[in-house]
Amino acid sequence: MTVDEHGIQGHFNCLMAGSSQFPGFTLMAVRGQVTKAVISGAAASFDGTGMFQTGNQGKSPATFHVEVTDGGPGVGTLQLTLLTPFLFVLPTERVLVGQISIR
């Protein structure tokens, strides 16, 4: 995602595949375009529209909200809230490998 003098540009893709901590889901994905973002120091939040998909229940149009914090393994975080087709607040996840960079 980028935020510049031309506005917000970006795409969000969150995929949980295979064994899930959510009973009944073998796959869950939220994908879409970022429509609004706020960056404050080492944290950012953004909203978007796209689609929600489950392996066993199909696809639905969706809106979502994401909160992230800067950092590498054990430090950086991501928290996803699905707003539609139903409210679904996922637990905050910590980076295991890689890095979230907010600039």
Side-chain angles (χ1 to χ4, degrees):
M1 176 182 70
T2 60
V3 181
D4 60 22
E5 68 275 4
H6 303 292
I8 299 161
Q9 300 176 22
H11 187 83
F12 178 72
N13 184 20
C14 179
L15 172 66
M16 293 190 314
S19 177
S20 171
Q21 65 177 323
F22 305 105
F25 289 119
T26 56
L27 170 128
M28 186 197 77
V30 176
R31 298 181 175 103
Q33 291 299 121
V34 174
T35 58
K36 175 184 172 187
V38 175
I39 298 173
S40 178
S45 64
F46 53 93
D47 298 314
T49 61
M51 87 69 228
F52 167 70
Q53 177 181 6
T54 62
N56 53 350
Q57 296 175 355
K59 298 179 189 179
S60 299
T63 58
F64 55 87
H65 177 78
V66 180
E67 302 270 340
V68 294
T69 58
D70 197 288
V75 178
T77 63
L78 180 143
Q79 196 274 322
L80 168 64
T81 300
L82 186 64
L83 301 170
T84 61
F86 52 86
L87 182 62
F88 186 38
V89 181
L90 283 87
T92 299
E93 300 284 339
R94 292 205 175 271
V95 172
L96 295 176
V97 176
Q99 178 85 23
I100 295 174
S101 296
I102 299 171
R103 322 180 236 169

